Amino acid sequence: MALLFKSELDRADLWADALRRCDPALDVRVWPKVGEPAEIDYALVWKPPPGLLASLPQLRLIFSLGAGIDHLTSDPELPPGIPVLRMVEPGLTGGMTEYVVMSVLMHHRRMVDYAGLQRDKVWEVLPAPLAAERRVGIMGVGVLGADAAAALTGLGFDVAGWSRTPKSIDGVESFHGPDQLEAFLARTEILVCLVPLTDETRGILNARTFAQLPRGAAVINVGRGELLAEDDLLQALEDGQIGAATLDVFAAEPLDPEHPFWSHPRVVVTPHIASLTVPDSGARAVIENIRRHEAGQPLLNVADLGRGY
Ligand code: NDP
Ligand code: OXD
């Protein structure tokens, strides 16, 4: 059994070691050292060059190194009929929850305002409500959004989630579908975006969405850059409709040095690090699915390519 690893982001040496620890018999090959393409059974990839997967004639499973699969569905030559598996592992989930909690707390406790006061050397106390009085809304309450929602609920925040289908998460008010988006936004003072990038969600963070939030709301985008209409956000920040934003993902990464987000006083920028897949726990998730595949058992975390996530 051979697995091809390809990523410019993830450390191939750490992944190869972690995979071999879980399954010493697995023949791990690191791109571009593919060897004989017909020997590759499995591919574990992040942003593979278009056509790479199609060049592997005996490929049986495609593993995404991340939770998102838009980096695969954007390949016009993605081979049809081969299951695509999303990355679901505790390191990735825990990392995202940390980032979301950190960012929500930062906006809740007005740290963007205090950073401005510090720059101006002004000693001033700003009013802030209790967590129970702060309404947080999470767009996308799947694996990552649901875990973050539970952590925020644990801190006492008033949390709601919006998804495609209804959810039942302890202490979290559920909204779903386009018809309930407006009501979800109207009650959301800190908006966390964790939907996947699909034809339906592209550009969902736009002027219309911002106008439906309470004035001065904060926006945290940890989904994908293309979910956000960047000019609409800049305008909403200028108008005061949006009070502040934390952005981890961008339409063009790395973010251009000239981009206005870098120096905007009310925007926090991070370089797509909200969460990263952890090789040890990620390898266990991959090997478990290979084991299931070999045993003819149902696979875990299979993406629905029709839905796009
Ligand atoms: P899941 O597939 O588990 O969850 C996706 C959620 O989005 C689901 O609740 C789904 O609804 C909802 N959703 C999808 N389409 C729509 C729609 N049209 N309208 C309303 N809700 C919708 O994904 P994960 O939680 O594992 O990951 C989410 C995304 O986070 C990834 O796709 C990726 O883009 C991003 N990500 C970013 C990282 C970073 O470092 N910045 C790291 C990891 C992931 P339903 O439950 O009803 O299907
Ligand atoms: C992911 C990501 O999709 O890191 O996992 O963006």
Side-chain angles (χ1 to χ4, degrees):
M1 271 190 314
L3 176 144
L4 179 66
F5 179 93
K6 161 76 176 101
S7 171
E8 301 291 318
L9 184 72
D10 304 85
R11 291 251 321 257
D13 56 338
L14 296 183
W15 272 94
D17 286 351
L19 288 162
R20 289 186 189 117
R21 269 197 302 278
C22 293
D23 182 355
L26 187 66
D27 173 6
V28 181
R29 302 184 189 178
V30 178
W31 191 86
K33 294 185 178 160
V34 180
E36 171 51 49
E39 289 171 5
I40 304 294
D41 302 288
Y42 306 111
L44 174 58
V45 291
W46 180 251
K47 297 188 180 173
L52 171 64
L53 297 169
S55 73
L56 308 171
Q58 301 300 329
L59 195 58
R60 296 196 270 161
L61 298 177
I62 299 170
F63 291 91
S64 170
L65 272 158
I69 59 153
D70 47 296
H71 66 110
L72 299 171
T73 51
S74 59
D75 179 351
E77 294 174 60
L78 182 68
I82 301 179
V84 172
L85 306 166
R86 297 182 339 95
M87 182 57 72
V88 175
E89 60 91 6
L92 185 63
T93 304
M96 182 57 81
T97 293
E98 284 178 10
Y99 186 98
V100 170
V101 168
M102 170 186 76
S103 303
V104 167
L105 284 173
M106 195 190 68
H107 291 296
H108 171 60
R109 296 299 301 267
R110 305 188 57 173
M111 288 309 292
V112 169
D113 294 312
Y114 281 114
L117 291 176
Q118 180 174 348
R119 270 192 303 272
D120 297 341
K121 301 181 179 163
V122 175
W123 184 274
E124 189 183 333
V125 177
L126 304 171
L130 297 172
E133 297 159 352
R134 182 71 83 187
R135 299 188 307 273
V136 180
I138 304 187
M139 294 180 105
V141 274
V143 173
L144 302 180
D147 196 72
L152 291 166
T153 306
L155 286 171
F157 286 100
D158 180 354
V159 182
W162 178 75
S163 44
R164 210 174 41 83
T165 55
K167 299 278 174 244
S168 172
I169 305 172
D170 255 5
V172 177
E173 193 181 358
S174 169
F175 295 82
H176 70 278
D179 293 350
Q180 294 184 9
L181 180 58
E182 190 173 349
F184 164 78
L185 294 171
R187 52 79 63 208
T188 290
E189 296 168 296
I190 300 178
L191 178 68
V192 178
C193 183
L194 257 172
V195 286
L197 179 67
T198 68
D199 291 344
E200 283 181 25
T201 60
R202 189 178 301 275
I204 196 166
L205 298 177
N206 57 36
R208 186 178 150 80
T209 302
F210 300 146
Q212 291 171 348
L213 292 166
R215 187 166 176 78
V219 172
I220 298 166
N221 185 22
V222 276
R224 282 289 179 266
E226 294 95 324
L227 298 168
L228 171 68
E230 294 185 347
D231 289 345
D232 290 7
L233 177 61
L234 287 167
Q235 188 59 54
L237 285 161
E238 177 72 24
D239 299 344
Q241 175 58 21
I242 297 300
T246 295
L247 306 175
D248 181 59
V249 284
F250 303 89
E253 296 178 359
L255 189 61
D256 190 295
E258 300 305 316
H259 199 292
F261 285 154
W262 277 119
S263 49
H264 198 294
R266 306 204 64 81
V267 176
V268 176
V269 167
T270 52
H272 199 146
I273 49 75
S275 190
L276 302 171
T277 304
V278 176
D280 274 337
S281 39
R284 280 196 288 277
V286 169
I287 297 298
E288 171 60 14
N289 257 335
I290 291 180
R291 190 195 64 71
R292 284 169 171 259
H293 179 72
E294 299 289 326
Q297 293 169 350
L299 299 171
L300 304 174
N301 307 309
V302 182
D304 178 336
L305 296 181
R307 273 183 341 195
Y309 66 100

